Every structure is written in C-alpha cells, then in structure tokens.
Amino acid sequence: MNLLVDTHVLIWWATDDPRLGPTLRSAMADPGNSVYFSAISIWEVAIKHAKGLLALGPDRLRESSMLAGIRELPFLS
C-alpha cells in the first residue's frame, strides 16, 4: 500500500508523539508499505521552526525520515 502522510503525521512520527495512533504507526512501519511525504511538509516545518513554534528543524526531519525509508515527493510547479 502507498501512504502519503501529512505534515502533522510526519512530525508526530519523528517526535514519537502519542497522537500518532497505533494503527497508522504500524502501517508506517510495515515494510510492505511505501510511505511518502511532500516536500511542502519540510517547508511548513521550516516556517514553524523559524517562528519558534517547533523545536524540530526541517533538516533533521528530512534526514530522519529519509533514513527511515520515508520518501520525499518533490513539489512540481
């Protein structure tokens, strides 16, 4: 199955937030699933981080996601 996670889910996954429920957490960890996030999520995190609203920085989020096998989908204009 292909999963496209939104920004909140990506942040919750990266910070091990309990708001990411066990069903989605399990689906994201399933090696039979392909998990993706939008490049726009990194942009959103960069804005929140720059405003001091989020401790997690965009570079750390991108790197940890990619290392976990979560693939970034580019923004195409």
Side-chain angles (χ1 to χ4, degrees):
M1 173 182 353
N2 291 325
L3 302 171
L4 174 61
V5 297
D6 73 1
T7 305
H8 282 93
V9 169
L10 193 62
I11 292 168
W12 293 343
W13 170 83
T15 60
D16 200 28
D17 193 299
R19 289 178 283 187
L20 181 60
T23 302
L24 184 51
R25 189 177 302 276
S26 178
M28 289 177 72
D30 184 336
N33 293 334
S34 296
V35 185
Y36 301 91
F37 67 92
S38 171
I40 297 299
S41 291
I42 300 302
W43 177 72
E44 288 180 281
V45 168
I47 291 171
K48 290 182 185 301
H49 182 72
K51 290 182 175 183
L53 301 173
L54 187 62
L56 179 66
D59 293 334
R60 191 171 127 224
L61 178 61
R62 175 181 278 131
E63 183 179 337
S64 64
S65 299
M66 301 289 275
L67 287 172
I70 302 174
R71 296 179 236 170
E72 182 175 0
L73 296 174
F75 175 74
L76 304 174
S77 58

